[in-house]
């Protein structure tokens, strides 16, 4: 039985590898982070990079904010969700090379930086931060990332 399971896993892994070579991309999906709230993937692996879609600070089980008014709480949960997606893709936060942060208000810049620095304490990635008119689910912050896959 163990032999059959090992062969099944080997065949599955080989199928994913062959699929990736044919299509040039692999869709990443994990239950350790909120599912997409629109027609997009949590992340895509392509060209040895992981492209993580914008992460909100929502609970993965309820798909709701644990705080609608505290940007620090939303930022921590958004980055935790991102970490879980990056790890599901076979990478790590240490391999994140670029992030983009979208803020409802630039007044939250310092509060976001304080939380952000705990997730990237050494050699933080390149980053852009923008204030926008509105975010999905009326979020205060949304963060996307690009990481090295291997």
């Amino acid at each position: 039985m163990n032999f059959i399971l090992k062969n099944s896993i080997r065949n599955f892994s080989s199928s994913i590898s062959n699929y990736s070579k044919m299509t040039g991309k692999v869709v990443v999906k994990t239950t350790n982070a909120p599912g997409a709230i629109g027609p997009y993937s949590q992340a895509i692996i392509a060209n040895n990079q992981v492209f993580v879609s914008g992460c909100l600070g929502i609970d993965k089980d309820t798909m709701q904010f644990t705080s609608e008014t505290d940007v620090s709480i939303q930022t921590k949960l958004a980055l935790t969700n991102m970490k879980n997606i990056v790890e599901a893709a076979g990478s790590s936060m240490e391999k994140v090379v670029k992030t983009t942060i979208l803020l409802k208000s630039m007044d939250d810049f310092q509060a976001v930086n304080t939380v952000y620095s705990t997730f990237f304490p050494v050699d933080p990635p390149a980053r852009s931060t923008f204030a926008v008119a509105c975010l999905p689910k009326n979020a205060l912050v949304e963060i996307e990332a690009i990481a090295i896959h291997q």
Side-chain angles (χ1 to χ4, degrees):
M1 175 125 169
N2 200 12
F3 175 75
I4 293 170
L5 181 58
K6 285 181 182 177
N7 278 339
S8 295
I9 291 170
R10 188 177 306 119
N11 290 339
F12 178 72
S13 296
S14 177
S15 295
I16 288 177
S17 177
N18 290 338
Y19 176 78
S20 177
K21 289 175 186 170
M22 291 180 343
T23 64
K25 72 178 185 178
V26 173
V27 174
V28 177
K29 186 172 183 178
T30 180
T31 57
N32 291 328
I37 58 174
Y40 58 89
S41 300
Q42 289 173 313
I44 296 290
I45 301 169
N47 295 326
N48 203 36
Q49 297 176 81
V50 180
F51 299 88
V52 182
S53 295
C55 294
L56 300 178
I58 57 177
D59 179 88
K60 67 181 180 67
D61 297 318
T62 65
M63 297 296 286
Q64 300 298 318
F65 295 107
T66 55
S67 172
E68 294 185 12
T69 58
D70 189 326
V71 73
S72 295
I73 291 172
Q74 285 192 24
T75 301
K76 183 176 181 178
L77 194 48
L79 287 165
T80 299
N81 291 334
M82 177 191 299
K83 179 179 184 288
N84 291 338
I85 294 168
V86 166
E87 289 175 353
S91 190
S92 68
M93 293 296 272
E94 291 77 21
K95 293 182 178 179
V96 172
V97 295
K98 174 73 168 81
T99 61
T100 303
I101 300 176
L102 306 174
L103 297 174
K104 185 174 183 180
S105 170
M106 203 52 89
D107 292 339
D108 293 330
F109 187 78
Q110 189 53 51
V112 169
N113 279 342
T114 299
V115 176
Y116 184 92
S117 67
T118 66
F119 283 81
F120 301 106
V122 178
D123 300 327
R127 183 180 104 178
S128 301
T129 304
F130 303 95
V132 296
C134 189
L135 291 166
K137 296 178 76 74
N138 206 28
L140 302 176
V141 60
E142 180 176 3
I143 307 172
E144 66 178 27
I146 301 170
I148 298 168
H149 182 240
Q150 304 213 18

